[in-house]
Amino acid sequence: MLPLLILFNALQLSQILAQSSSDVVKLPNLPSDHLIRYLNTFPKLKKQVEEIRVESPACWGHERNCTAEARFQTPHCPGEHTGWVQSKEAQVQTFYYQADFGFIQQQLSELTPQCMPKYLSDSSLECTRYLRFCRGRNLLIDLRDLPQRKERIRYHMDVLKPGQILGHCELNRTRLQGEMDHIGSALQSWAPELRYFDVLPQPVLESGACDLVVNAPTFIMKIDATYNMYHHFCDFFNLYASLFVNQSHPAAFNTDVQIIIWETYPYDSPFRDTFKAFTQRPIWTLSEVQGKRICFRNLVLPLLPRMIFGLFYNTPIIQGCSNSGLFRAFSEFILHRLQIPYRPPPVRKLRITYLSRRTKYRQVLNEQELLARLEANEDYEVQRVSYERISFVDQLEITRNSDMLIGMHGAGLTHLLFLPNWACLFELYNCEDPNCYKDLARLRGVHYVTWEHRDLVYPQDEGHHPDGGAHAKFTNYRFDADEFERLVTQAAIAVRAHKDYQQATAALAQHDEL
């Protein structure tokens, strides 16, 4: 990562955004170091903004001419590479293409026309391999038969039938059929929908077949889940990554877009405010458009939450590496767009947030004893919270202002995405699922600690899975207080060292700039 190549304060940034209000294309609302990279992507737009006169090579990392020194962040790979790849450089590059902006670069290199226009008013369709991401212009989707469906639609692979997705363009049927390998699941690719793509003999918008024309750029999403934070953020993260794959126009990060969820269930989620980071419009489901032939001027079928070797859920992470710039950028984007404030802590106080569960299983039976140990340490500022009782925006504010997050294995630990860069996740007990949040912490680049000695954790019983059999996730636990305090102390040392290093590096970089 470049050492603060450009330093904007809040006033400068607000002036730039105000200046752009009269432009044909407004500057998007982005964090300052995201904004300079956006402007470097669109140099013609950059020339129109008088306030920006700092020449900087800063880039994201997916651009062809982006050097390793200029990209948003370089992975941290101190671990052993032997047995995985032939060199340390190959280790870094592997992680970068698995889980960072290198993944975006791969998607961009794979974009291939599937249906070619002859004239500007024609349709078009282009996709990456296995139809993981697609975008098109002037396309028609026929949903007139949906009201006759007796069942609600979710995770269905038969929403569309032959002749129900159309475009006026030259279709390469052989090429399209050759990308159907990942059709085994609704959330792996867009193959279940695009296998029926066909040609309309006349231009879509002139055909008289449109019952509704959607002029706003539209993202159709097949979502993983709504009430589980880990799985729903697979959806949000891949939507964010798709903005970069689709970044061929300065409006790529604008919020005047329509989002349609590919199901007929009403959309409801405790995390629904996250959509405000992407769109200013109400979220539609298929229920809002069923019974009609919908024509889309610009349509995006974004990256999906359960792609094979995909992002977040199925990411194969090489050993010894952490710190994905793409995950850090996502964290900063969401916090900025939702206006989540950061408050500096009391001097040398380490802010610890303990997630208290109010569920039937995975409760900590001696929770008060453990917290009493922490509260007795004057170097800690400790708060116990139950996130299920707090609005999501308020949850994010607590997380952003925590140096350490402690909790039992569960979806609430997904909050680690929004911890400060120097912070630590202490997964109190992983319930025999050791990699889930450890890997997510590696991707985000925060320190990770979990319980080390099985003989010092005491389950209430063997646990009883609803489908039968013993299972560690379906019981409650008591923990040795001395060992708990030792692990927190160990984590606190790592947090302070990481924070001091980052602050010293930032101060040195600012001095060099001045």
Side-chain angles (χ1 to χ4, degrees):
M1 182 176 61
L2 285 179
L4 297 180
L5 277 171
I6 184 165
L7 302 172
F8 290 138
N9 59 38
L11 178 60
Q12 287 173 313
L13 183 56
S14 64
Q15 288 174 339
I16 292 169
L17 293 173
Q19 171 71 21
S20 70
S21 62
S22 61
D23 295 338
V24 175
V25 179
K26 293 184 179 180
L27 291 183
N29 177 20
L30 295 171
S32 58
D33 57 340
H34 295 212
L35 184 61
I36 189 60
R37 288 168 169 82
Y38 164 85
L39 288 167
N40 283 344
T41 305
F42 302 105
K44 290 183 179 179
L45 179 63
K46 183 179 178 181
K47 290 180 180 178
Q48 299 174 20
V49 185
E50 296 295 330
E51 282 81 358
I52 297 181
R53 285 294 175 264
V54 176
E55 290 303 319
S56 165
C59 47
W60 292 108
H62 61 77
E63 305 91 336
R64 290 183 180 179
N65 60 346
C66 184
T67 65
E69 294 75 23
R71 62 193 182 191
F72 188 67
Q73 183 168 287
T74 298
H76 183 56
C77 296
E80 182 59 56
H81 69 272
T82 304
W84 299 94
V85 289
Q86 296 299 312
S87 67
K88 177 61 69 173
E89 180 182 2
Q91 183 188 25
V92 174
Q93 285 297 97
T94 299
F95 181 86
Y96 199 70
Y97 284 101
Q98 286 175 335
D100 211 322
F101 280 101
F103 185 92
I104 306 299
Q105 189 180 89
Q106 287 182 315
Q107 301 306 303
L108 289 168
S109 69
E110 292 174 4
L111 269 176
T112 304
Q114 303 292 338
C115 203
M116 289 285 290
K118 283 187 177 180
Y119 304 101
L120 289 176
S121 60
D122 285 354
S123 306
S124 67
L125 177 69
E126 60 179 344
C127 301
T128 63
R129 286 193 69 190
Y130 309 121
L131 309 180
R132 291 177 289 192
F133 171 96
C134 298
R135 62 182 177 186
R137 295 181 64 253
N138 299 329
L139 300 179
L140 184 152
I141 297 180
D142 188 348
L143 300 174
R144 286 178 295 176
D145 67 342
L146 281 194
Q148 283 71 55
R149 299 279 288 261
K150 294 181 179 180
E151 77 281 14
R152 287 281 182 89
I153 292 172
R154 174 178 288 166
Y155 312 136
H156 281 216
M157 298 173 64
D158 62 348
V159 178
L160 298 180
K161 299 177 179 65
Q164 291 188 329
I165 179 165
L166 302 165
H168 179 66
C169 44
E170 292 187 359
L171 176 62
N172 190 326
R173 295 183 187 275
T174 302
R175 179 182 291 167
L176 184 62
Q177 289 302 313
E179 299 294 351
M180 296 289 167
D181 289 356
H182 292 184
I183 202 169
S185 165
L187 300 183
Q188 286 181 352
S189 83
W190 291 99
E193 292 72 33
L194 292 177
R195 58 183 160 172
Y196 297 127
F197 192 93
D198 212 341
V199 175
L200 195 67
Q202 67 266 48
V204 168
L205 298 177
E206 300 171 14
S207 66
C210 305
D211 299 315
L212 172 66
V213 177
V214 181
N215 293 309
T218 302
F219 291 77
I220 293 179
M221 295 182 64
K222 295 193 287 188
I223 60 175
D224 192 345
T226 55
Y227 275 79
N228 181 292
M229 184 179 179
Y230 179 89
H231 288 284
H232 205 5
F233 270 81
C234 295
D235 304 316
F236 293 127
F237 183 82
N238 279 283
L239 178 59
Y240 177 70
S242 298
L243 299 182
F244 289 99
V245 185
N246 193 48
Q247 193 183 199
S248 58
H249 187 277
F253 286 93
N254 286 2
T255 56
D256 188 18
V257 300
Q258 183 63 60
I259 292 175
I260 301 177
I261 296 175
W262 197 247
E263 56 187 54
T264 54
Y265 285 86
Y267 175 72
D268 183 46
S269 171
F271 315 109
R272 59 187 174 271
D273 283 343
T274 310
F275 270 122
K276 294 178 182 178
F278 297 95
T279 181
Q280 62 198 22
R281 294 170 174 257
I283 303 299
W284 290 355
T285 67
L286 289 177
S287 297
E288 273 74 37
V289 291
Q290 65 180 355
K292 301 175 182 178
R293 292 169 296 184
I294 319 301
C295 296
F296 299 95
R297 290 189 181 273
N298 290 282
L299 182 65
V300 177
L301 306 178
L303 297 167
L304 290 150
R306 297 208 178 202
M307 300 177 294
I308 296 174
F309 300 132
L311 283 174
F312 197 121
Y313 183 78
N314 282 325
T315 302
I317 317 173
I318 192 169
Q319 292 297 314
C321 288
S322 63
N323 290 56
S324 163
L326 182 58
F327 275 78
R328 182 189 133 212
F330 170 73
S331 175
E332 294 175 357
F333 173 84
I334 296 297
L335 293 172
H336 180 84
R337 284 278 175 98
L338 298 184
Q339 299 181 326
I340 308 300
Y342 173 74
R343 301 184 307 274
V347 178
R348 297 301 295 175
K349 284 277 188 178
L350 190 137
R351 294 181 288 192
I352 298 176
T353 298
Y354 178 92
L355 296 184
S356 182
R357 293 177 66 89
R358 294 291 180 264
T359 54
K360 183 177 181 180
Y361 300 113
R362 280 173 270 160
Q363 290 191 33
V364 178
L365 300 175
N366 62 329
E367 184 172 280
Q368 192 56 52
E369 178 189 10
L370 302 184
L371 289 173
R373 290 291 189 97
L374 301 185
E375 290 164 350
N377 191 323
E378 61 182 19
D379 291 333
Y380 300 156
E381 183 180 281
V382 182
Q383 61 177 333
R384 173 170 52 180
V385 297
S386 297
Y387 272 173
E388 61 266 25
R389 301 180 178 183
I390 304 172
S391 75
F392 185 57
V393 169
D394 288 340
Q395 292 176 34
L396 288 179
E397 184 171 352
I398 293 170
T399 302
R400 188 179 190 184
N401 291 282
S402 300
D403 299 303
M404 188 186 305
L405 183 66
I406 303 175
M408 287 289 286
H409 178 90
L413 297 188
T414 309
H415 268 277
L416 72 88
L417 291 169
F418 305 104
L419 288 169
N421 295 333
W422 57 79
C424 174
L425 173 72
F426 180 3
E427 184 176 19
L428 188 51
Y429 190 54
N430 60 38
C431 298
E432 299 177 13
D433 186 358
N435 295 322
C436 180
Y437 296 103
K438 179 180 180 181
D439 283 350
L440 194 59
R442 284 175 60 197
L443 290 168
R444 173 61 185 89
V446 297
H447 191 62
Y448 175 86
V449 171
T450 193
W451 201 262
E452 297 174 357
H453 297 291
R454 291 288 297 272
D455 59 328
L456 296 177
V457 56
Y458 312 104
Q460 192 173 34
D461 53 40
E462 65 179 2
H464 302 284
H465 193 281
D467 295 331
H471 200 294
K473 293 183 181 179
F474 295 90
T475 188
N476 301 309
Y477 292 87
R478 185 179 300 275
F479 294 87
D480 181 89
D482 290 335
E483 176 65 6
F484 172 77
E485 190 173 10
R486 184 189 74 81
L487 288 170
V488 171
T489 300
Q490 174 184 308
I493 292 170
V495 167
R496 288 198 173 98
H498 196 188
K499 186 174 185 180
D500 289 345
Y501 173 78
Q502 288 197 4
Q503 290 177 339
T505 302
L508 180 61
Q510 185 170 0
H511 179 270
D512 290 344
E513 282 293 316
L514 296 175

